[in-house]
Amino acid sequence: MIDAADAARMRGRYIRMATCVFALDLAIMVGFNLMSGSWANAWRTIGIGVIFLVVVNWAVARWLFKPIDDYLHGRLPFAAIQRRLTQLPLLTARVVGLLTLVIWAFRLSQAWWADVPAASGLLLQRPTVADFCVTLAVLAVFYFTFTYFVVSDYLGTLCGFIFERTGENLGLFFGSYRTKLLVALIVISIGPLAAILAKLYSYEGERLRLEILVDVASAIMGVVLSAYFIARSFLRPLNVLSDAMSQVAEGKLDVRAPVTSNDEIGEVTGQFNTMVEGLRERERIRETFGRYVDESVASTILERQADTGDEVNGEIREATILFTDIAGFTTVAEYLTPQELVAALNEYLETVLEPIRAHGGVVNTFIGDGLFASFNMPLLCDEHPCAAVRAAIDIQRAVNSRTFGDQGVALATRIGISTGPVIGGSIGAGQRMSFTLLGDTVNLAARLEELNKHHGTRILVSQSTYDACGGEFAFDALGKVPVRGRSEAVAIFSVDPNGQGNAP
């Protein structure tokens, strides 16, 4: 919600910005009177400025701001006032431009109808038609441009205020950055030059010198004030966007920039917000993905997708596979509630995960109360057979030294390890894909884990793993045994959990 006092403050600030053109007009008139000696008529020339640029302009500004004020007070939705919001600088400047035509037509035409002596000052000396028309046009355009950029600067403040309070951003873009820049350059450079050229072809002698002197002084004063607001109007949206981009570059994806202009820069800022939302969503998906797939696997898939545009293609590599399972898990599950069982299982799996990751392994998937991990696929792992055995020994030590869950459940772990060629890649159909490992090496590791219960062991490894590790660990040969899925018996070896599990 927007506080009523803050809403009133923003309305008051707009009205001050809309009527501040009178300050410019007053400064020009004071300078004009100082140089031309028209003080006898100052009450009339300045008075008409007060009437139109203060009183009339104030009333029109309140009317223009009324829908926005209703929104700020909660009486209208943002969609109902967005068009008025984007057009506020143009509408305000248009009113000021029309009022300027009336004011300066009155001032410049006094010599033709006012009942005052001709010597009362430069302003009351009859101008040429050419000078009258050019001066009127230049001043109207100049006041229009000044007001447009003053209110555009205010629009940036107002849009930022609304964004901070409600999160709403401009979504309509009618302005043209190129047109704004072109008008600003024309008014600042060509406008004063056109006025001076009109004087050169209209007057001569002392009158010419005085006319040009007045125009130059007025132009300097007006251009300086206008340039200040023009620069602010152009630079504010760019600074807002630049700051937001810097934050995103630092990794802050919770950034959302306020759209503070109604031109291409505002549109780019809106697209920047959309882009950041996409990055934020991608990061959220990646984080979620990493909870269900090992983070290193997720990173590999995402990186390869970014490089090739495809899922991870199949590849074959020498790797070591490790399977774990909880001995007697069915019995444990019978006397625990579902909540207690899940809590104990999560603590157990976290305990098992740490040694696998510490030794360079990747957890590919969870299978009930067990898991399936790999070494050297998809991430490279030096001496992967030894790394897998070290991880298995550390798992046994960690699991045997503690209990799990609020009930203090003791869990025993069986592990099977095999080394050999492994096929890895993304498989699936449609939008459902999974990175998995295939091959006889994977199947053998799973069978070895099962064989632990028949031999009363906790870690069994294949012949290939035993050969690759050499004499680094304390192995016991259990001979050749038949393995489900194989026509020939295979040699298996048990590992002493008290062996050199942490040997370098």
Side-chain angles (χ1 to χ4, degrees):
M1 283 293 295
I2 298 176
D3 184 75
D6 287 339
R9 178 170 55 83
M10 294 308 297
R11 181 187 63 185
R13 184 169 181 176
Y14 163 70
I15 293 174
R16 288 194 299 273
M17 293 295 99
T19 56
C20 77
V21 67
F22 173 71
L24 173 64
D25 182 74
L26 181 62
I28 290 175
M29 289 309 305
V30 169
F32 184 89
N33 287 320
L34 283 173
M35 304 188 70
S36 65
S38 300
W39 290 107
N41 199 47
W43 64 272
R44 184 182 294 167
T45 56
I46 294 176
I48 193 171
V50 173
I51 294 171
F52 282 92
L53 293 180
V54 177
V55 178
V56 176
N57 196 20
W58 176 86
V60 175
R62 282 181 61 88
W63 175 74
L64 289 175
F65 200 77
K66 179 67 167 60
I68 301 172
D69 191 51
D70 287 341
Y71 163 73
L72 295 177
H73 285 88
R75 295 188 288 267
L76 285 176
F78 184 75
I81 60 95
Q82 190 172 181
R83 182 176 293 271
R84 173 59 58 87
L85 198 63
T86 59
Q87 293 182 326
L88 194 60
L90 180 61
L91 294 175
T92 308
R94 186 183 298 169
V95 170
V96 170
L98 292 174
L99 294 177
T100 301
L101 285 174
V102 175
I103 294 168
W104 280 95
F106 172 85
R107 289 170 176 169
L108 295 173
S109 65
Q110 288 182 85
W112 290 319
W113 56 266
D115 187 18
V116 294
S120 296
L122 181 63
L123 190 62
L124 297 181
Q125 295 182 28
R126 184 170 297 182
T128 64
V129 174
D131 183 35
F132 176 86
C133 294
V134 171
T135 302
L136 197 60
V138 169
L139 287 170
V141 172
F142 186 77
Y143 280 41
F144 171 93
T145 305
F146 174 81
T147 305
Y148 180 88
F149 284 104
V150 167
V151 178
S152 291
D153 182 60
Y154 164 78
L155 180 63
T157 302
L158 178 61
C159 290
F161 170 83
I162 292 174
F163 177 80
E164 291 175 2
R165 301 303 194 280
T166 67
E168 297 283 2
N169 251 337
L170 286 180
L172 299 176
F173 306 100
F174 298 106
S176 169
Y177 192 85
R178 180 173 57 184
T179 301
K180 291 180 182 179
L181 183 60
L182 183 62
V183 170
L185 291 175
I186 290 174
V187 171
I188 289 178
S189 59
I190 299 180
L193 181 61
I196 292 173
L197 286 174
K199 299 293 191 295
L200 288 173
Y201 285 98
S202 298
Y203 310 108
E204 58 184 17
E206 183 64 20
R207 173 81 184 269
L208 175 61
R209 186 191 67 80
L210 189 57
E211 290 276 2
I212 291 179
L213 187 62
V214 170
D215 281 359
V216 170
S218 300
I220 291 174
M221 185 164 33
V223 166
V224 169
L225 290 174
S226 297
Y228 172 77
F229 287 103
I230 288 172
R232 280 177 58 91
S233 176
F234 280 130
L235 294 178
R236 178 197 288 266
L238 292 174
N239 289 337
V240 169
L241 182 58
S242 177
D243 290 343
M245 292 175 67
S246 297
Q247 293 183 57
V248 171
E250 294 172 358
K252 300 177 182 178
L253 296 182
D254 57 344
V255 175
R256 188 165 174 256
V259 179
T260 59
S261 66
N262 63 347
D263 52 25
E264 292 89 345
I265 300 301
E267 189 172 6
V268 169
T269 304
Q271 292 172 353
F272 168 81
N273 288 332
T274 302
M275 179 196 72
V276 174
E277 288 176 8
L279 292 174
R280 194 159 52 239
E281 179 66 13
R282 179 185 173 91
E283 186 65 20
R284 186 188 68 80
I285 291 173
R286 180 167 180 159
E287 290 177 356
T288 303
F289 190 25
R291 293 182 180 181
Y292 294 92
V293 179
D294 190 275
E295 184 178 351
S296 57
V297 176
S299 298
T300 299
I301 293 174
L302 291 174
E303 287 173 5
R304 294 189 186 180
Q305 281 182 330
D307 292 338
T308 66
D310 298 323
E311 305 292 341
V312 179
N313 296 322
E315 61 175 317
I316 187 167
R317 185 188 299 171
E318 187 82 7
T320 299
I321 304 300
L322 180 151
F323 270 87
T324 75
D325 192 37
I326 298 176
F329 184 73
T330 303
T331 302
V332 173
E334 290 177 351
Y335 66 85
L336 293 178
T337 66
Q339 293 79 8
E340 293 171 341
L341 182 64
V342 170
L345 186 57
N346 284 336
E347 286 187 23
Y348 161 80
L349 291 174
E350 188 63 37
T351 301
V352 173
L353 282 172
E354 187 174 348
I356 293 174
R357 289 172 174 167
H359 290 285
V362 171
V363 175
N364 294 88
T365 187
F366 296 100
I367 308 172
D369 57 318
L371 58 81
F372 160 29
S374 60
F375 295 77
N376 206 47
M377 172 71 85
L379 300 183
L380 296 178
C381 176
D382 294 334
E383 299 182 350
H384 50 91
C386 293
V389 174
R390 291 190 196 105
I393 293 174
D394 287 349
I395 288 171
Q396 292 292 354
R397 291 174 177 173
V399 170
N400 293 336
S401 65
R402 59 165 296 180
T403 57
F404 303 92
D406 295 335
Q407 301 300 317
V409 181
L411 299 175
T413 301
R414 297 191 298 256
I415 300 175
I417 302 174
S418 178
T419 300
V422 174
I423 299 171
S426 294
I427 62 172
Q431 300 299 313
R432 299 298 301 273
M433 303 294 293
S434 174
F435 181 83
T436 192
L437 302 179
L438 305 169
D440 184 62
T441 302
V442 178
N443 296 332
L444 180 56
R447 303 294 182 261
L448 292 176
E449 179 274 312
E450 293 176 356
L451 286 174
N452 277 290
K453 66 175 102 174
H454 299 295
H455 292 272
T457 55
R458 286 288 177 260
I459 304 174
L460 286 179
V461 304
S462 67
Q463 178 78 53
S464 57
T465 303
Y466 171 81
D467 292 341
C469 290
E472 185 162 343
F473 303 98
F475 290 107
D476 290 328
L478 301 181
K480 291 189 175 183
V481 298
V483 174
R484 182 163 51 92
R486 285 196 170 216
S487 58
E488 298 180 358
V490 298
I492 60 174
F493 302 82
S494 67
V495 180
D496 180 3
N498 296 317
Q500 301 300 313
N502 290 315

